[in-house]
C-alpha cells in the first residue's frame, strides 16, 4: 500500500457520463415552446449550473420574464422531459476511461464520492450501472449552495472521512473547478484547458489517468503548499 492516502470526488455530467445532450434537447424544447431558440453554445454555458439558475439564464437569453411560480412549473416540465430521456440511458453512455479508473481506484481501496449539481444523479448512476462504485453521494438534493461554492465537495470529503488536501476532484465545468479550488482540493479538469482555468491537470477524458499519477499529484500539491 502507498504511503499517501487519497480520495476521489467525481462530478457526474460531462465527466463520467454525457448527459449534456439530453439537457440540451429538453431546454431547447422548453425555449421553443416559449417562442425563442436555444443554441448548443448556450447549452455549454449551463454545464455545472443547477436547474433553477439554468432556467433563469435561458429566460434571460430569450428576453422572457416569469413569476417564481411559473418558473417552478417550467423547471418541472423541462425535468419531466429530461427524466424521460435519461430513463433510457444504458451503460454504453459511460464516458471513455470512467469504468477503468473507477475499477482501479476501487481495487486500490481508494474512497470514491460523487459531487454533482444534478438532482437526478441517482437515476443516472442506476441506469449506467455505476452506483456500486460510490462510498458517498452528494448531489443537488444534498446541498444548499451550488458550484462555485465548495459545499458539494466539502460534504463529499466529510462523508469519506478524508482531509480536503488528500482529495482530488474531477470536473468538466469552470464553476466546478473553482468550487474544488475553494475546497482546497486538487482538481483534474476534464476538457480543454482554456475552459478550465486553475485546474492542476487537464485531460480530455479519464482514460489517461492512473492511480499512481493521482497519488503523485496530491504529493506534489502538498509539497508546494
Ligand atoms: P438536474 P454536474 C449538472 O451536473 C449539469 O452539468 C448541469 O447542466 C445541470 O443543469 C445540473 O447538473 C442540474 O441537473 O436538472 O438534473 O438537477 O455536471 O454537476 O454533474
Ligand atoms: Mg459536469
Amino acid at each position: 500500500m502507498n504511503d499517501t492516502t487519497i480520495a476521489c470526488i467525481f462530478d457526474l455530467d460531462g465527466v463520467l457520463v454525457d448527459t449534456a445532450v439530453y439537457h440540451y434537447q429538453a431546454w431547447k424544447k422548453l425555449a421553443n415552446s416559449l417562442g425563442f431558440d436555444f443554441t448548443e453554445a448556450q447549452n455549454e454555458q449551463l454545464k455545472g449550473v443547477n436547474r433553477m439558475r439554468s432556467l433563469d439564464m435561458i429566460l434571460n437569453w430569450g428576453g422572457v420574464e416569469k413569476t417564481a411560480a411559473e418558473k417552478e412549473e417550467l423547471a418541472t416540465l423541462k425535468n419531466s422531459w429530461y427524466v424521460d430521456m435519461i430513463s433510457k440511458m444504458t451503460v454504453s453512455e459511460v464516458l471513455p476511461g470512467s469504468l477503468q479508473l473507477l475499477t482501479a481506484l476501487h481495487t486500490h481501496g481508494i474512497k470514491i464520492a460523487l459531487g454533482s449539481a444534478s438532482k437526478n444523479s441517482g437515476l443516472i448512476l442506476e441506469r449506467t450501472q455505476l452506483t456500486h462504485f460510490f462510498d458517498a453521494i452528494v448531489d443537488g438534493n444534498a446541498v444548499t449552495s451550488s458550484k462555485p461554492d465548495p459545499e458539494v465537495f466539502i460534504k463529499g470529503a466529510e462523508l469519506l472521512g478524508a482531509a480536503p488536501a488528500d482529495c482530488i476532484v474531477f470536473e468538466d465545468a469552470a464553476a466546478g473547478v473553482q468550487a474544488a479550488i475553494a475546497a482546497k482540493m486538487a482538481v483534474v479538469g476534464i476538457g480543454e484547458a482554456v475552459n478550465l482555468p486553475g485546474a492542476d491537470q487537464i485531460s480530455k477524458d479519464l482514460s489517461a489517468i492512473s492511480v499512481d499519477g493521482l497519488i503523485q499529484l496530491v504529493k506534489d500539491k502538498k509539497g508546494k503548499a
Side-chain angles (χ1 to χ4, degrees):
M1 204 54 190
N2 205 289
D3 59 354
T4 298
T5 309
I6 64 166
C8 291
I9 307 180
F10 289 87
D11 175 56
L12 180 61
D13 298 336
V15 171
L16 296 173
V17 296
D18 190 8
T19 45
V21 59
Y22 302 127
H23 280 298
Y24 174 60
Q25 287 170 17
W27 283 129
K28 188 177 174 70
K29 187 170 171 180
L30 190 77
N32 292 168
S33 78
L34 294 169
F36 60 92
D37 205 9
F38 173 64
T39 66
E40 286 189 55
Q42 287 169 327
N43 193 55
E44 278 299 306
Q45 296 181 52
L46 303 183
K47 281 187 177 174
V49 177
N50 73 26
R51 195 181 308 162
M52 291 312 288
R53 173 85 190 112
S54 297
L55 177 62
D56 279 336
M57 288 169 70
I58 290 166
L59 293 177
N60 190 39
W61 288 325
V64 171
E65 283 194 22
K66 295 287 175 189
T67 64
E70 288 168 337
K71 284 190 213 175
E72 282 296 337
E73 269 180 39
L74 291 171
T76 301
L77 184 60
K78 178 266 173 180
N79 193 55
S80 69
W81 295 328
Y82 177 69
V83 168
D84 280 349
M85 290 187 264
I86 60 173
S87 298
K88 299 182 191 96
M89 284 180 85
T90 70
V91 72
S92 70
E93 290 170 83
V94 173
L95 286 170
S98 302
L99 279 176
Q100 291 86 334
L101 181 58
L102 290 168
T103 302
L105 292 169
H106 193 67
T107 305
H108 281 76
I110 294 168
K111 296 271 188 234
I112 305 171
L114 188 80
S116 167
S118 176
K119 293 186 171 179
N120 293 299
S121 74
L123 175 60
I124 296 167
L125 292 177
E126 182 199 318
R127 288 298 314 164
T128 53
Q129 298 175 27
L130 294 178
T131 313
H132 67 281
F133 284 110
F134 292 90
D135 300 293
I137 291 181
V138 185
D139 68 6
N141 300 296
V143 294
T144 49
S145 305
S146 302
K147 301 169 189 176
D149 188 285
E151 182 185 3
V152 65
F153 297 137
I154 289 172
K155 276 198 170 160
E158 280 172 4
L159 288 171
L160 295 181
D166 292 329
C167 293
I168 301 157
V169 169
F170 298 84
E171 254 296 344
D172 73 314
V177 170
Q178 293 311 311
I181 293 169
K184 301 194 173 6
M185 297 175 183
V187 54
V188 176
I190 302 298
E192 302 289 331
V194 66
N195 300 324
L196 301 165
D200 295 296
Q201 196 175 296
I202 297 284
S203 199
K204 79 170 170 38
D205 58 36
L206 296 175
S207 54
I209 311 274
S210 71
V211 173
D212 285 346
L214 294 175
I215 291 169
Q216 195 58 47
L217 173 63
V218 167
K219 272 188 186 169
D220 290 348
K221 203 163 162 81
K222 282 184 175 174
K224 280 188 210 151

